[in-house]
Amino acid sequence: MATAAWPGKKDRSLIGKSITRQDGPVKATGRAKYSYDLNPPGLLWAKPATSPHAHAKLVSIDTKKAEALPGVKGVWKDTDLIGEEVRYIGQIIACVAAESEEIATEAVALVEAKYEVLEHQVIDNDPKFATGRASEQEVGKVADGFAEADVTIEGDYGVPVITHCCMEPHGQVTEVRGGELYAWPSTQNVSRWADRLNDSVGIDRAKMHVDCQYMGGGFGSKFTYDKWGVIGTLLAKQTGRPVKLLLDRDLELAIAGNRPSGYTHIKLGVKNDGAITAFEGSVVGTGGGGGYRLRAFPYVFEPKNRKTTMKGIRTNRGGQRAWRAPSHPQTCLLTFSALEDAAAKIGMDAAAFYKKNLNLTARPDVYAEELDIAMKMIGYAEKAHLRTKLDAGPVKRGLGIAMHTWGGLGHGSECRVTINPDGSVKAEIGTQDLGTGARTVVSIIAAETLGLPLEAIDTRIGNNAYPASGGSGGSTTTGGISVSTRMAATDALNDLLGHAATKLGVAADKLEAKGGRIREMGNAAKSMSWADACKMLRTGSISKTGQNNRTEAQKAGLIDAGVGGVQIADVSVDTETGVVTLNEMAAVQDCGLIVNMKTCESQVFGGVIMGITSALFEEALYDPTTGRMLNADMEFYRIAGIKDVGTIKVHMMTGEEYEKRGIIGIGEPPVIAPAAAISNAVANAIGVRVPYLPLTPERVLNVLA
Amino acid sequence: MKSFEYATPRTVDEAVEQLAEQWGETEVLAGGTDLVTCLKQGLTAPKRVVSLKAVKDLKGISSTKGALTIGAMTTMGELAGNAGVQKHFPSLATAVKNIASPQLLSTGTVGGDLCQRPRCWYYRNGYGLLAQQDGKSLVTAGDNRYHAIFGNAGKAKFVSASSLGPPLIALGATIKTSSREIAADKFFQTPKSENERETVLNPNEIITAISVPLSGAENATYEIRHRQGLDWPYVTASVAKTNGGTKVVLGHVAPTPWIVAGNDAAQGAKPLSGNGYKVKMVKTAVKRALAAASNGASN
Amino acid sequence: MTADEKTNMQGKGLSRRGFLKGVGAGGAVATIATGCSTIDRDGVVSLTPRGPENTPITLNINGRRRKLEVEPRVTLLDALRNRLDLTGAKKVCDRGTCGSCTVLVDGEPAYSCSMLAVEAAGRKITTVEGLGSPEQMNAVQEAFVENDAQQCGFCTPGFVVACTSVLDKNPDATLEEAQAGCGGNLCRCGTYVGMNQALMDAAKSLKGGA
């Protein structure tokens, strides 16, 4: 009788190993078809017409000229918006569908709209634009904490609005046939992408077929159908033809999601021995037109006396969306900048300062162990210096540390595993692979459970016809899909073992599946091949659906939540040009039981690189006069290239203590700390804080001037 | 992008005939790395695009009479890879290498580099080359971190995007066109209206070649950039030292390449609200370019 | 305009040569009054301007000649993706910055988003599909897969083409030289660590090493 508990290390043939992702070859050869790549017969191209004003009342929309352009086949107007306000440049007001992309682009320029222009506001960092009531929270008594302190430091720090900049833009191909919708969106939520879409398009939810085999990046911004999903569906319905609607890059950057800013003033009280006594921080920031709140502030270190206030700035910019580890990268930067400034103020080594205060964290032992490992990896003992002892010469080197935390409990998920009489195995699950290797994870768990090689599993994902699985956000996928797959495969296997038991004359609960055979536990002599066992199913396949019941699974040690990580950056700063060069980054991370070491490490490398990118390059820049995003392109909205990220070393915490917790997600944690670590390293290198990200040459030169 | 017709003349004369006398009616297509983007951005909507790909005698690098002559359709990659260029003009080779994108080097041309339009984000977002709104400069009131610190008293606040302009001026090059020869330092101009462009070329005039004198000058280019890969420089400095003196020409600091004195490169700089940091960069770039020229090592 | 009109091959009342010139300048144009609309076999050069409507070209892609009709404004990338269903080259920035659209033109890497399809006629074009198949990958593709140098995979074909180009030219490339071959490409997922290893492994395998 197979059980759902994860096998111990010596019994694992696949789990925890370094396994090459299964869809690697189709991607690397350009054969993988993403939503953007689908060209069904009769395809029409749709392009949205958008508001050129950051804030205005929309008076009218006239699409006559666009409709008259030869090749235009469908037009949609947002009639509900007429008389209402448009709130940012790029807000969609109409859309045309045409025979070619060129014609659609040309037709959009012919859409005429009248507006009454209103005042706009796009500044994201000035408290004077903050509106509404501040949310305030006090734990302990900060006044007492500051009274206890020997030294008080104060500082301003900030993180700008950045965007997701998914390589594949948002959008989808849609087709309506016989009253049924066929949609191929670029999504991180295939099972529930279409939820509530029926409200807008008049097609029954049960008649919506959603498929996404490959998708070019989401990072939190692609959970639902969005306005373009509605428009694409309505145009498909109107024209009776498939419609491709994916955003051009300028819209992708300006309207398809961003990460809210956070600008703070922090006051920190410390004793001369380094103990933190009080923390007070006020934050303003914007997520566009909606509400604003950063969670987890102060970050990781929670002084007993702490007070925070938070206030939002409403801006006429595109709206915020979840961005890999929502809130954490911002609050990490804000908090850890203040922490290392405090250490510098009292002349204490940063690592020693953190160690002194680990009791203020949720997992002191984990952080202590990880910090020591990271320090060894970076050569801390040899390289570290106080902020008062700078390198001679124009290029100065420094180290900086930051830590992070994340939940990562597996999401709700169902998976169906089918064992066929011919020995073939199918795993079907309505999850999606964002590039995390989810497809391969399903195969690994099913193959491990059934004692088969990886290739024996026919894994099907990316379709809402399969058992539903959660959206891929918050590092919840690997845990969720692993448990549901494990449950289904275990259940199916037990059924098969029942068949084999009679033939082998061994009780089913004494049987196991290993190495492609069904055998008596510990007795390879009494066994039969997988194929022979399956042949006994003559009458039909075994098909079982497994579930991730989060509470039970966590209790059973299959999944867990809560990880820590420590990262140390080693940078060089050219004080005559302001250019910051990342020499090396050490990242130490735990995530419970690792399913696939190769793709897990890739997540950490990728997270660190994305964090480095935000530290050095990223900022959505808006023009105050026109309200337009000035760098809605990839030329001045910079992301790091291959030579910009230095040497990155990753260490995954493994071993019984970590593995017994079960699986914990890994997508978010590593992206959190890099910016704070790099900012601290720059401060350590040049002796002064560059308060606001990104750490561009101009910002560095400005603080040195 | 509006539709246009496409011409493929085979001679310089044919090319000139295909071109209109007014800016914007026709456009010259060389490597396309900038023009195709301008077309997509609607910065120009010509009725005809005249491709130079089939025009004879515009490609290649030859050494004649104390000068190196570079055909206008020579790609940037061919220029940087040429042994003569590497030997005599490290400042040119460096300026090209710093573009850092093999794709741009293989398609972008020498003539195209000199004629490319500015990257000013107000211009590229459709607010006009001079970025005026209600008689005021959007640049002055807005985000001008990448804009001009020299030569910005008029309406033009953008910076010249040319990589080759500064080293060619420093080296005393001559630009040959379909109708005349122009000293490199007279080639660029600061437009005063939306109807003018950033060079003295006429709408129906094309660059045919560039001639760089083999003066024996020690020369180098130093560039300050953010990303190591493809990126626009903050500041470049190209220097050429001869017995007659040292020429220092800056890039990306003014609407044209900007000639300065080597011993006081930042003199006369008038930063806007957000680009004062460029003054420090100018000093650094010039210092490092001068040092590189003496060492025979460009960065 | 009378002299010009003689050369008008399209019968639209506009000269196909010098149609934008004033009368004075137009006078000189009559010298090629015999100009004909002949287009050479692949649509590389024609004696009269073509378009703005569809015009026939032949693209030599991955060793195959593909005939198609395109407007002059159609980019090579859009011709590949939208007309020939060769979707390996991706549209990401569409402005010659990110490299996702990279193809080889006459063996050199180029941004296909910044090249008109008509300009590519008669040239040898290799797309990522022409470098290998899932069953038979080239050395770079193999190394990308093995070293997990891809996540979402959307930038990957562009990187594969750029890397193949740099290593084909110089299998002895140092890591830094190989990285320079990727200077015109960008990845958002952050796969550069795997890519560095892939570059070195592919170089080794191209040199016939183990």
mmCIF file of all heavy atoms in Angstrom, chain A residues 63 77 115 130 143 272 285 310 314 338 382 384 395 444 446 485 539 559 598 632 637-638 660 675 678 702:
data_model
loop_
_atom_site.group_PDB
_atom_site.id
_atom_site.type_symbol
_atom_site.label_atom_id
_atom_site.label_comp_id
_atom_site.label_asym_id
_atom_site.label_seq_id
_atom_site.Cartn_x
_atom_site.Cartn_y
_atom_site.Cartn_z
ATOM 1 N N THR A 63 -15.706 55.935 -34.684
ATOM 2 C CA THR A 63 -14.880 54.927 -35.353
ATOM 3 C C THR A 63 -15.172 54.829 -36.849
ATOM 4 O O THR A 63 -14.688 53.905 -37.510
ATOM 5 C CB THR A 63 -15.104 53.538 -34.712
ATOM 6 O OG1 THR A 63 -16.512 53.240 -34.771
ATOM 7 C CG2 THR A 63 -14.650 53.508 -33.269
ATOM 8 N N LYS A 77 -16.363 49.631 -29.289
ATOM 9 C CA LYS A 77 -16.243 50.924 -28.612
ATOM 10 C C LYS A 77 -16.644 50.745 -27.170
ATOM 11 O O LYS A 77 -17.615 50.040 -26.869
ATOM 12 C CB LYS A 77 -17.230 51.935 -29.232
ATOM 13 C CG LYS A 77 -16.753 52.551 -30.506
ATOM 14 C CD LYS A 77 -17.578 53.776 -30.828
ATOM 15 C CE LYS A 77 -18.855 53.431 -31.562
ATOM 16 N NZ LYS A 77 -19.484 54.612 -32.183
ATOM 17 N N TYR A 115 -12.406 64.650 -25.895
ATOM 18 C CA TYR A 115 -12.231 64.632 -24.443
ATOM 19 C C TYR A 115 -12.371 66.043 -23.878
ATOM 20 O O TYR A 115 -12.106 67.023 -24.567
ATOM 21 C CB TYR A 115 -10.820 64.158 -24.083
ATOM 22 C CG TYR A 115 -10.452 62.780 -24.559
ATOM 23 C CD1 TYR A 115 -9.881 62.586 -25.820
ATOM 24 C CD2 TYR A 115 -10.638 61.666 -23.746
ATOM 25 C CE1 TYR A 115 -9.516 61.321 -26.261
ATOM 26 C CE2 TYR A 115 -10.276 60.401 -24.177
ATOM 27 C CZ TYR A 115 -9.712 60.234 -25.439
ATOM 28 O OH TYR A 115 -9.344 58.990 -25.853
ATOM 29 N N ALA A 130 -0.189 62.792 -1.107
ATOM 30 C CA ALA A 130 -0.871 61.678 -0.446
ATOM 31 C C ALA A 130 -2.266 62.121 -0.014
ATOM 32 O O ALA A 130 -2.451 63.247 0.444
ATOM 33 C CB ALA A 130 -0.057 61.212 0.758
ATOM 34 N N ALA A 143 7.801 55.430 21.929
ATOM 35 C CA ALA A 143 8.407 56.491 22.736
ATOM 36 C C ALA A 143 9.336 55.872 23.779
ATOM 37 O O ALA A 143 10.471 56.328 23.974
ATOM 38 C CB ALA A 143 7.321 57.317 23.410
ATOM 39 N N ASN A 272 24.222 51.122 22.125
ATOM 40 C CA ASN A 272 25.610 51.091 21.641
ATOM 41 C C ASN A 272 26.095 49.681 21.323
ATOM 42 O O ASN A 272 27.007 49.497 20.522
ATOM 43 C CB ASN A 272 26.543 51.744 22.669
ATOM 44 C CG ASN A 272 26.392 53.262 22.640
ATOM 45 O OD1 ASN A 272 26.083 53.842 21.588
ATOM 46 N ND2 ASN A 272 26.564 53.905 23.794
ATOM 47 N N GLY A 285 3.280 56.055 -1.080
ATOM 48 C CA GLY A 285 3.562 55.394 -2.345
ATOM 49 C C GLY A 285 2.315 55.329 -3.170
ATOM 50 O O GLY A 285 1.232 55.750 -2.728
ATOM 51 N N MET A 310 1.095 54.619 6.947
ATOM 52 C CA MET A 310 1.132 54.404 5.505
ATOM 53 C C MET A 310 0.031 55.213 4.846
ATOM 54 O O MET A 310 -1.094 55.254 5.333
ATOM 55 C CB MET A 310 0.909 52.919 5.237
ATOM 56 C CG MET A 310 1.737 52.418 4.094
ATOM 57 S SD MET A 310 1.982 50.654 4.163
ATOM 58 C CE MET A 310 3.347 50.488 5.301
ATOM 59 N N ARG A 314 -2.670 58.956 -4.982
ATOM 60 C CA ARG A 314 -3.401 58.546 -6.193
ATOM 61 C C ARG A 314 -2.749 59.200 -7.400
ATOM 62 O O ARG A 314 -2.520 60.404 -7.426
ATOM 63 C CB ARG A 314 -4.864 58.969 -6.097
ATOM 64 C CG ARG A 314 -5.633 58.173 -5.044
ATOM 65 C CD ARG A 314 -7.035 58.709 -4.899
ATOM 66 N NE ARG A 314 -7.920 58.218 -5.945
ATOM 67 C CZ ARG A 314 -8.567 57.058 -5.863
ATOM 68 N NH1 ARG A 314 -8.410 56.275 -4.820
ATOM 69 N NH2 ARG A 314 -9.371 56.683 -6.833
ATOM 70 N N ALA A 338 17.801 51.173 6.488
ATOM 71 C CA ALA A 338 17.862 51.826 7.799
ATOM 72 C C ALA A 338 18.705 51.004 8.768
ATOM 73 O O ALA A 338 19.484 51.559 9.566
ATOM 74 C CB ALA A 338 16.451 52.029 8.346
ATOM 75 N N GLU A 382 37.344 38.420 4.738
ATOM 76 C CA GLU A 382 38.456 39.077 4.046
ATOM 77 C C GLU A 382 38.046 40.431 3.481
ATOM 78 O O GLU A 382 38.827 41.370 3.427
ATOM 79 C CB GLU A 382 38.973 38.208 2.885
ATOM 80 C CG GLU A 382 39.449 36.808 3.266
ATOM 81 C CD GLU A 382 38.305 35.814 3.426
ATOM 82 O OE1 GLU A 382 37.556 35.637 2.444
ATOM 83 O OE2 GLU A 382 38.132 35.245 4.522
ATOM 84 N N ALA A 384 35.131 42.444 4.208
ATOM 85 C CA ALA A 384 34.284 43.413 4.907
ATOM 86 C C ALA A 384 35.093 44.563 5.488
ATOM 87 O O ALA A 384 36.222 44.384 5.937
ATOM 88 C CB ALA A 384 33.511 42.703 6.016
ATOM 89 N N VAL A 395 37.595 53.858 -7.763
ATOM 90 C CA VAL A 395 36.662 52.722 -7.742
ATOM 91 C C VAL A 395 36.685 52.098 -6.356
ATOM 92 O O VAL A 395 37.737 51.683 -5.866
ATOM 93 C CB VAL A 395 37.023 51.678 -8.815
ATOM 94 C CG1 VAL A 395 36.059 50.496 -8.748
ATOM 95 C CG2 VAL A 395 36.991 52.320 -10.200
ATOM 96 N N ILE A 444 7.653 14.538 -12.538
ATOM 97 C CA ILE A 444 8.558 13.982 -11.520
ATOM 98 C C ILE A 444 7.757 13.307 -10.408
ATOM 99 O O ILE A 444 8.047 12.174 -10.008
ATOM 100 C CB ILE A 444 9.452 15.099 -10.923
ATOM 101 C CG1 ILE A 444 10.493 15.552 -11.952
ATOM 102 C CG2 ILE A 444 10.139 14.622 -9.632
ATOM 103 C CD1 ILE A 444 11.283 16.792 -11.532
ATOM 104 N N ALA A 446 4.614 12.225 -10.408
ATOM 105 C CA ALA A 446 3.880 11.038 -10.873
ATOM 106 C C ALA A 446 4.834 9.869 -11.092
ATOM 107 O O ALA A 446 4.566 8.734 -10.679
ATOM 108 C CB ALA A 446 3.113 11.375 -12.152
ATOM 109 N N THR A 485 -0.916 15.816 -7.439
ATOM 110 C CA THR A 485 -0.396 14.757 -8.307
ATOM 111 C C THR A 485 -0.033 13.527 -7.476
ATOM 112 O O THR A 485 -0.335 12.387 -7.849
ATOM 113 C CB THR A 485 0.841 15.265 -9.083
ATOM 114 O OG1 THR A 485 0.493 16.446 -9.799
ATOM 115 C CG2 THR A 485 1.334 14.214 -10.063
ATOM 116 N N THR A 539 -10.235 -4.679 -18.423
ATOM 117 C CA THR A 539 -11.553 -4.043 -18.577
ATOM 118 C C THR A 539 -11.515 -2.529 -18.614
ATOM 119 O O THR A 539 -12.455 -1.889 -19.057
ATOM 120 C CB THR A 539 -12.494 -4.465 -17.428
ATOM 121 O OG1 THR A 539 -11.774 -4.264 -16.221
ATOM 122 C CG2 THR A 539 -12.931 -5.879 -17.579
ATOM 123 N N ILE A 559 3.410 19.698 2.599
ATOM 124 C CA ILE A 559 3.755 21.071 2.230
ATOM 125 C C ILE A 559 3.890 21.903 3.505
ATOM 126 O O ILE A 559 3.425 21.503 4.575
ATOM 127 C CB ILE A 559 2.690 21.738 1.321
ATOM 128 C CG1 ILE A 559 1.291 21.611 1.940
ATOM 129 C CG2 ILE A 559 2.729 21.179 -0.077
ATOM 130 C CD1 ILE A 559 0.216 22.390 1.197
ATOM 131 N N LYS A 598 17.346 21.430 -10.287
ATOM 132 C CA LYS A 598 17.791 22.265 -11.399
ATOM 133 C C LYS A 598 16.875 23.475 -11.585
ATOM 134 O O LYS A 598 17.334 24.613 -11.632
ATOM 135 C CB LYS A 598 17.839 21.430 -12.688
ATOM 136 C CG LYS A 598 18.561 22.132 -13.826
ATOM 137 C CD LYS A 598 18.610 21.282 -15.096
ATOM 138 C CE LYS A 598 19.852 20.423 -15.145
ATOM 139 N NZ LYS A 598 20.093 19.849 -16.480
ATOM 140 N N ALA A 632 8.253 53.907 -21.833
ATOM 141 C CA ALA A 632 7.442 52.705 -22.083
ATOM 142 C C ALA A 632 8.019 51.953 -23.282
ATOM 143 O O ALA A 632 7.368 51.750 -24.300
ATOM 144 C CB ALA A 632 5.982 53.090 -22.314
ATOM 145 N N TYR A 637 13.439 51.793 -20.386
ATOM 146 C CA TYR A 637 13.025 50.937 -19.273
ATOM 147 C C TYR A 637 14.001 49.777 -19.311
ATOM 148 O O TYR A 637 13.799 48.797 -20.022
ATOM 149 C CB TYR A 637 11.578 50.444 -19.377
ATOM 150 C CG TYR A 637 11.171 49.799 -18.063
ATOM 151 C CD1 TYR A 637 10.622 50.559 -17.055
ATOM 152 C CD2 TYR A 637 11.469 48.467 -17.815
ATOM 153 C CE1 TYR A 637 10.350 50.001 -15.818
ATOM 154 C CE2 TYR A 637 11.201 47.899 -16.581
ATOM 155 C CZ TYR A 637 10.636 48.669 -15.589
ATOM 156 O OH TYR A 637 10.389 48.130 -14.355
ATOM 157 N N ARG A 638 15.082 49.926 -18.576
ATOM 158 C CA ARG A 638 16.190 49.001 -18.748
ATOM 159 C C ARG A 638 15.986 47.732 -17.925
ATOM 160 O O ARG A 638 15.568 47.795 -16.774
ATOM 161 C CB ARG A 638 17.486 49.667 -18.301
ATOM 162 C CG ARG A 638 17.919 50.820 -19.183
ATOM 163 C CD ARG A 638 19.225 51.399 -18.649
ATOM 164 N NE ARG A 638 19.781 52.384 -19.546
ATOM 165 C CZ ARG A 638 19.469 53.671 -19.502
ATOM 166 N NH1 ARG A 638 18.606 54.115 -18.609
ATOM 167 N NH2 ARG A 638 20.025 54.514 -20.347
ATOM 168 N N LYS A 660 11.984 17.669 5.937
ATOM 169 C CA LYS A 660 10.837 17.081 6.638
ATOM 170 C C LYS A 660 9.644 18.046 6.700
ATOM 171 O O LYS A 660 8.532 17.664 7.037
ATOM 172 C CB LYS A 660 11.242 16.636 8.052
ATOM 173 C CG LYS A 660 11.438 17.775 9.022
ATOM 174 C CD LYS A 660 11.775 17.233 10.400
ATOM 175 C CE LYS A 660 11.825 18.374 11.414
ATOM 176 N NZ LYS A 660 12.531 18.034 12.635
ATOM 177 N N ALA A 675 17.925 43.941 -3.955
ATOM 178 C CA ALA A 675 18.011 45.403 -4.030
ATOM 179 C C ALA A 675 18.531 45.976 -2.714
ATOM 180 O O ALA A 675 19.383 46.870 -2.707
ATOM 181 C CB ALA A 675 16.651 45.993 -4.382
ATOM 182 N N ILE A 678 22.246 45.187 -2.343
ATOM 183 C CA ILE A 678 23.073 46.000 -3.243
ATOM 184 C C ILE A 678 23.125 47.443 -2.753
ATOM 185 O O ILE A 678 24.177 48.077 -2.743
ATOM 186 C CB ILE A 678 22.536 45.898 -4.690
ATOM 187 C CG1 ILE A 678 22.769 44.480 -5.223
ATOM 188 C CG2 ILE A 678 23.207 46.927 -5.589
ATOM 189 C CD1 ILE A 678 22.042 44.173 -6.515
ATOM 190 N N ASN A 702 25.017 62.248 -7.785
ATOM 191 C CA ASN A 702 24.325 63.307 -7.055
ATOM 192 C C ASN A 702 24.578 63.235 -5.557
ATOM 193 O O ASN A 702 24.719 64.270 -4.910
ATOM 194 C CB ASN A 702 22.821 63.282 -7.357
ATOM 195 C CG ASN A 702 22.517 63.820 -8.755
ATOM 196 O OD1 ASN A 702 23.333 64.516 -9.356
ATOM 197 N ND2 ASN A 702 21.357 63.483 -9.284
#
